Amino acid sequence: MEQYKQEFIEFMVDCNVLRFGEFTLKSGRKSPFFMNAGLYVTGAQLEKLGEYYAKAIHDNYGDDFDVLFGPAYKGIPLSVATTMAYHRLYGKEIRYCSNRKAKDHGDAGILLGSPIKDGDKVVIIEDVTTSGKSIEETFPIIQAQGDVTIKGLMVSLNRMERGKGEKSALVEIQEKYGFPANAIVSMSDVVEHLYNKPCNGKVVIDDEIKAAIDKYYEEYGAKEA
């Protein structure tokens, strides 16, 4: 596993974004882990987060894209932080864009940041995708801007559980929309890196948590993740 992925896993734990225990998800599933990207709140955290996303996007999609699209609302700070990091790390100017609620006064456009125009190549950035619902809303917005190519989607964590069918949400998105969908790390990466290993002096995935994760995936794990 690449060094930046190992660091990112520890970063999520340090920021209390990735936690282990017992959590009830919106879907009603009882999960032994929970991720809340809304807990990245400081400038230092957002700066580091942007760097991890930039490295993963560069690894998966290279430099051949023009716009980073972050669906509202969590995608807005992600797209801003990552475009800044991308320029800092790779010297390439990437424009950021997000959607927003329609306004009946002032600037009534649906997009925030850079316009998307014919010929643009776009990477979509999100925190985590469990159902693909936000892509259902985002995809037509991007397509409506003109002759645009979507290079792919990047999320922070692949939960590796079933989406609407038997496959993971990322695989379902790829099959439905025809562009690749990737994550900085997967839950298998997280378990591999943290199981019975100290993270800042504390073991966060011990035998009990590992058994709970294994049981969760026996019930909800995707056939293709």
Side-chain angles (χ1 to χ4, degrees):
M1 193 191 316
E2 293 90 334
Q3 182 68 30
Y4 78 87
K5 293 185 177 184
Q6 297 178 41
E7 292 175 1
F8 179 61
I9 292 168
E10 296 179 14
F11 174 71
M12 286 192 290
V13 174
D14 290 346
C15 295
N16 207 33
V17 165
L18 180 61
R19 292 177 286 161
F20 300 90
E22 186 174 318
F23 309 91
T24 301
L25 307 179
K26 287 181 181 178
S27 62
R29 296 175 183 176
K30 302 285 187 182
S31 174
F33 58 92
F34 183 71
M35 181 192 165
N36 180 7
L39 294 177
Y40 296 119
V41 293
T42 71
Q45 288 172 343
L46 289 171
E47 182 177 33
K48 288 296 293 181
L49 181 62
E51 290 177 0
Y52 292 126
Y53 267 106
K55 289 176 181 179
I57 289 170
H58 188 266
D59 277 1
N60 285 275
Y61 305 126
D63 285 331
D64 188 23
F65 69 102
D66 310 289
V67 179
L68 197 56
F69 188 95
Y73 285 95
K74 287 182 180 178
I76 296 174
L78 292 180
S79 62
V80 172
T82 304
T83 52
M84 294 169 69
Y86 208 94
H87 180 261
R88 188 164 59 248
L89 292 173
Y90 304 110
K92 182 176 173 68
E93 286 280 25
I94 303 295
R95 291 146 39 216
Y96 91 92
C97 182
S98 295
N99 58 308
R100 62 178 178 180
K101 289 183 178 179
K103 296 164 59 178
D104 57 7
H105 62 280
D107 180 3
I110 194 173
L111 298 183
L112 177 73
S114 171
I116 299 175
K117 58 184 186 298
D118 283 351
D120 276 343
K121 298 174 182 177
V122 179
V123 171
I124 304 170
I125 183 171
E126 286 202 282
D127 55 349
V128 65
T129 296
T130 52
S131 68
K133 185 175 184 298
S134 67
I135 297 298
E136 288 180 9
E137 298 170 355
T138 297
F139 184 75
I141 292 172
I142 296 174
Q143 292 291 93
Q145 306 310 308
D147 183 13
V148 176
T149 301
I150 299 179
K151 295 278 291 188
L153 166 69
M154 181 61 65
V155 302
S156 59
L157 177 68
N158 180 0
R159 288 184 58 98
M160 299 177 65
E161 61 190 86
R162 295 199 306 271
K164 293 180 178 179
E166 294 298 311
K167 300 174 183 179
S168 75
L170 292 184
V171 172
E172 289 176 350
I173 287 168
Q174 186 163 318
E175 291 183 349
K176 181 175 181 178
Y177 297 102
F179 56 78
N182 292 285
I184 304 175
V185 293
S186 66
M187 272 307 297
S188 63
D189 294 329
V190 171
V191 173
E192 175 189 333
H193 186 62
L194 294 180
Y195 178 45
N196 277 340
K197 298 174 186 175
C199 180
N200 281 343
K202 179 183 178 183
V203 173
V204 292
I205 301 183
D206 55 16
D207 290 339
E208 183 179 351
I209 295 294
K210 174 67 161 57
I213 292 172
D214 290 344
K215 183 179 179 181
Y216 184 78
Y217 280 116
E218 285 175 11
E219 186 169 0
Y220 298 116
K223 288 186 177 178
E224 290 182 46

